[in-house]
């Protein structure tokens, strides 16, 4: 379970998150929607441990771990995965090598046996096939020369291979055509289980047609101003954020 | 088993942090008194029972050295070196040269074992036929301080006509070859350090590959400086006759000492018609501590002559050690259609200074050279690429491609690129590309979010940056070079 309590955070001189309360019970998928600049990516970075932000109050607990006390890699090993809004390029670093190193680092940290190259490739190829991705994905350098859509799909592939317990997807659907969108949804839905939860950040109701969320939250101005069931996403799609924001004010 | 590969595993497992090859070994040494004069040169020559011509050659070099000045154009700074305060000869004490490994001081064998370098052939040959996926055997010449202590697989190599032995031995067993080629690529008066080396060199490796022979295994020399206040001046000479082929690896480490130690080597390569020489170095001399105390001063002259048509010389180096590196492995492309290559990774951290690069001299027609240099600077270090591409008047159709990339870690280090291009032939074509980048915070975070530690993330990004060079290394060295890069950059980020 992810439990965020009165979380306040920002950068020097600027508070971005102004007291977030959010609970995502294990097994559930929640969507976060909200205008640009409302703090959605900041929330995902604070939860995953990126440097450069000051947490000024509140807590974030995941399965009994105090997330805010952990290094990013410890959070990853504990099962937290972030699909980046802007995936990063790693020149000269082969995707397969990157993923195997990452997977084995996590397994080592959890006291599990590491996968040798053969076992890893078998696993990776199976996921690639399941997600109908191109075979050369593994051979290419991490995100280098990838189109926007390929980068997002690569995030989904990484998620499929790392099998997190909590996935945060930051606008993974933005800029994708409908086929790619389905791949993203397949990636999340395949992981859905009583042990898995997800926080899906999106602007578009259409993704939520494929990944049906248990709850939808609206983040605006650093606060969650409204929460509801899947129907809230339809309301936002029909009326825009402005109406909800005005109503909450 | 792997030669230097185990070094890293074994030693890294035993020690933590800092320089992991820094132990010293207690061996009874035969040392010349400190200082350098004609008598010392004579003493070195007589200790080795050298013929008169070689003594004369040394004395001439010594006379030249006295007239030369230390070069001062490189971007390096150090306190003046007191050449009279060094020992110029140090050898493990023993009656005569060891006839076999059984006669080598067991302390020495133990030290090489500790470094993961197997000098016992039977240990390497356990399965004789290399099992798939395992490394083939490598013949090793181990040079401890100034003296070669053991060369493995000599007999196996001899069957195919390959000579691989200490140069001090070649002087006696193949005097005509040594006399013909010694100093023919790097003349004694070439530069200050080459002259010094020519006067006092004590040992090093000698390789001869006869016409049409492909050397059946990798050859490797492992250099270890141990003695205190001792200069190391090894000399390597490799000759490959028509159509021959050799791949040669060189590895170096030294104990951790507070004072600086001088290393001034000379390497000469000669490739005749259609011959190929691949020369790889993993240099990991002690770099000094975080404050710049101690470390090796590495002033090395390496040059290869592509004398025959279509001959090829390829230098690959991964340099992580030494307080100061002054080194420009070069190719003189004389034969028509000959090829010179230089692939380099130079890492500097803490207070290390590296001024390194290459010279490609195009003399023959349709000669081709490729330069790929990757400089990585961290801490308060300085890393300079200095390269010369010179195309002579008759080198019609000569081609050069140069790629120089610098990676900065932190903001207190320096990276400099100093390319000199001189073309005297209008049909020649040269291309130069250069980039400077930083390990970005978002790259590190991306890796850590996936579960990699900060250090593994740096290692991965650095290895990615160096990929074009690392892939040129023989398999045996590539893996350990990767680990070495990671180890040498430990703690330099964050
Ligand atoms: N590192 C940063 N430096 C400066 N401003 C930032 C930084 N991170 C976020 N912000 C600002 O904080 C606000 C929230 O940003 P962000 O979390 O990216 O919003 P969202 O993802 O909802 O669009 C924006 O005004 C943004 O400009
Ligand atoms: Mg965002």
């Amino acid at each position: 379970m992810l439990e965020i309590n009165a979380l306040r955070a920002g950068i020097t001189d600027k508070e971005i998150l102004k007291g977030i309360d959010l609970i995502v019970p294990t097994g559930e998928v929640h969507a976060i929607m909200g205008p640009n600049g409302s703090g959605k990516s900041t929330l995902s970075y604070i939860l995953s441990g990126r440097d450069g932000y000051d947490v000024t109050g509140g807590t974030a607990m995941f399965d009994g771990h105090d997330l805010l006390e952990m290094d990013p890699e410890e959070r990853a090993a504990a099962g937290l995965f972030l699909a980046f809004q802007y995936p990063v390029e790693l020149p000269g670093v082969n995707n397969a090598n990157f993923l195997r190193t990452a997977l084995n680092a996590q397994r080592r940290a959890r006291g599990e046996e590491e996968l040798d190259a053969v076992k890893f490739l078998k696993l990776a190829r199976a996921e690639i096939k399941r997600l109908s991705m191109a075979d050369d994905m593994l051979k290419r350098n991490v995100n280098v020369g990838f189109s926007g859509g390929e980068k997002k799909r690569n995030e989904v592939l990484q998620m499929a291979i790392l099998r997190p317990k909590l996935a945060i997807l930051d606008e993974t659907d933005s800029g994708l055509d409908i086929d790619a969108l389905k791949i993203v949804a397949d990636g999340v839905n395949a992981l859905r289980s009583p042990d898995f939860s997800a926080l899906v950040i999106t602007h578009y109701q259409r993704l939520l047609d494929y990944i049906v969320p248990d709850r939808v939250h609206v983040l605006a101005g650093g606060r969650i101003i409204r929460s509801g069931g899947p129907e809230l996403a339809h309301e936002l799609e029909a009326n825009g954020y402005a109406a909800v924001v005005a109503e909450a004010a | 088993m792997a030669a230097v590969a185990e070094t890293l595993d074994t030693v890294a497992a035993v020690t933590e942090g800092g320089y992991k090859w820094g132990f010293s070994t207690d061996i009874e040494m035969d040392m010349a008194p400190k200082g350098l004069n004609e008598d010392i040169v004579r003493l070195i020559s007589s200790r080795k029972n050298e013929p008169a011509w070689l003594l004369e050659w040394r004395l001439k070099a010594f006379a030249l050295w006295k007239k030369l000045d230390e070069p001062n154009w490189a971007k390096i700074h150090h306190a003046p070196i007191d050449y009279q305060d060094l020992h110029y000869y140090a050898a493990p004490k023993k009656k005569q040269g060891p006839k076999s490994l059984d006669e080598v001081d067991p302390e020495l064998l133990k030290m090489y074992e500790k470094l993961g370098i197997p000098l016992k052939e039977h240990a390497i040959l356990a399965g004789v036929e290399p099992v798939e996926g395992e490394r083939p055997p490598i013949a090793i010449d181990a040079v401890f301080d100034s003296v070669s202590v053991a060369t493995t697989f000599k007999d196996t190599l001899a069957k195919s006509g390959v000579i691989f032995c200490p140069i001090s031995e070649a002087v006696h067993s193949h005097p005509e070859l040594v006399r013909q080629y010694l100093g023919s690529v790097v003349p004694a008066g070439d530069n200050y350090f080459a002259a010094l080396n020519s006067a006092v060199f004590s040992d090093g490796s000698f390789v001869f590959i006869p016409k049409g022979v492909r050397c059946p295994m990798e050859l490797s020399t492992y250099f270890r400086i141990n003695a205190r206040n001792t200069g190391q001046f090894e000399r390597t000479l490799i000759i490959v006759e028509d159509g021959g082929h050799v791949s040669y690896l060189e590895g170096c480490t030294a104990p951790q000492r507070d004072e600086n130690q001088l290393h001034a080597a000379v390497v000469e390569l000669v490739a005749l018609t259609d011959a190929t020489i691949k020369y790889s170095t993993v240099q990991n001399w002690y770099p000094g501590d975080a404050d710049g105390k101690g470390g090796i001063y590495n002033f090395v002259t390496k040059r290869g002559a592509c004398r025959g048509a279509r001959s090829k010389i390829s230098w690959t180096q991964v340099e992580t050690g030494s307080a100061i590196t002054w080194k420009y492995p070069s190719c003189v492309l004389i034969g028509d259609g000959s090829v010179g290559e230089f692939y380099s990774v130079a890492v500097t951290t803490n207070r290390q200074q590296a001024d390194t690069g290459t010279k490609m001299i195009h003399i023959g027609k349709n000669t081709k050279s490729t330069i790929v240099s990757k400089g990585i600077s961290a801490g308060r270090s300085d890393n300079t690429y200095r390269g010369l591409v010179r195309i002579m008047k008759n080198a019609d159709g000569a081609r050069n491609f140069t790629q120089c990339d610098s990676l900065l870690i932190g903001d207190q280090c320096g990276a400099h690129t100093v390319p000199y291009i001189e073309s005297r032939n209008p049909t020649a074509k040269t291309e130069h590309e250069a980039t400077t980048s930083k390990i970005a915070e978002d790259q590190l975070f991306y890796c850590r979010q996936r579960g990699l530690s900060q250090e593994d993330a740096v290692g991965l990004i650095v290895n990615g940056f160096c990929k074009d060079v690392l892939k040129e290394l023989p398999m045996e060295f590539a893996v350990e070079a990767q680990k070495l890069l990671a180890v040498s950059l430990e703690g330099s980020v964050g």
Side-chain angles (χ1 to χ4, degrees), chain B residues 217-252:
Chain B
M217 60 180 92
E218 303 269 353
L219 304 183
S220 175
T221 300
Y222 183 79
F223 295 101
R224 173 86 182 162
I225 297 180
N226 193 65
R228 223 169 247 284
N229 298 319
T230 304
Q232 175 144 329
F233 307 96
E234 82 270 359
R235 183 122 197 157
T236 298
L237 177 57
I238 300 179
I239 303 144
V240 180
E241 287 195 329
D242 297 1
H245 180 287
V246 72
S247 171
Y248 179 92
L249 323 169
E250 168 191 69
C252 348

Side-chain angles (χ1 to χ4, degrees), chain A residues 73 76 82 89 106 155 158, chain B residues 441 443 446 448-450:
Chain A
E73 58 269 34
L82 169 63
E89 298 184 5
Q106 290 194 18
E155 295 292 288
Q158 295 183 29
Chain B
E441 186 271 332
Q443 291 178 316
Y446 191 71
R448 294 180 76 185
Q449 204 304 302
R450 297 303 185 246

Side-chain angles (χ1 to χ4, degrees), chain B residues 352-386:
Chain B
Q352 279 176 279
Q353 307 172 56
D355 193 299
T356 183
T358 183
K359 284 190 266 184
M360 294 289 175
I361 313 293
H362 292 253
I363 298 171
K365 296 188 192 345
N366 299 313
T367 46
K368 233 176 87 182
S369 63
T370 304
I371 299 171
V372 178
S373 160
K374 305 276 178 176
I376 299 162
S377 351
R380 299 166 71 176
S381 66
D382 246 316
N383 202 326
T384 302
Y385 166 80
R386 189 181 301 278

Side-chain angles (χ1 to χ4, degrees), chain A residues 41 85 170-171:
Chain A
S41 292
Q85 183 173 5
D170 191 357
E171 294 200 30

Side-chain angles (χ1 to χ4, degrees), chain B residues 124-273:
Chain B
I124 315 170
L125 271 177
V128 186
E129 282 295 303
V131 188
E132 194 174 336
E134 271 191 22
R135 298 149 189 250
I138 302 173
I140 294 171
D141 185 22
V143 177
F144 184 80
D145 288 330
S146 306
V147 176
S148 169
V149 292
T151 311
T152 60
F153 290 106
K154 258 197 228 176
D155 299 342
T156 318
L157 290 166
K159 277 186 203 125
S160 53
V162 171
I163 305 167
F164 179 39
C165 67
I167 197 163
S168 60
E169 187 183 312
V171 166
H172 297 286
S173 56
H174 303 279
E176 67 304 332
L177 285 174
V178 177
R179 209 170 168 174
Q180 182 184 349
Y181 289 104
L182 186 73
S184 74
V185 186
V186 179
D190 186 83
N191 67 69
Y192 186 83
F193 296 107
L196 178 62
N197 174 287
S198 302
V200 303
F201 79 89
S202 28
D203 220 337
S205 297
F206 176 81
V207 176
F208 177 79
I209 313 285
K211 217 170 179 159
V213 171
R214 224 189 138 81
C215 187
M217 60 180 92
E218 303 269 353
L219 304 183
S220 175
T221 300
Y222 183 79
F223 295 101
R224 173 86 182 162
I225 297 180
N226 193 65
R228 223 169 247 284
N229 298 319
T230 304
Q232 175 144 329
F233 307 96
E234 82 270 359
R235 183 122 197 157
T236 298
L237 177 57
I238 300 179
I239 303 144
V240 180
E241 287 195 329
D242 297 1
H245 180 287
V246 72
S247 171
Y248 179 92
L249 323 169
E250 168 191 69
C252 348
T253 59
Q256 193 161 337
R257 301 216 188 272
D258 284 347
E259 70 272 8
N260 297 108
Q261 286 169 288
L262 178 64
H263 174 249
V266 170
V267 175
E268 297 180 279
L269 312 182
V270 177
L272 301 183
T273 306

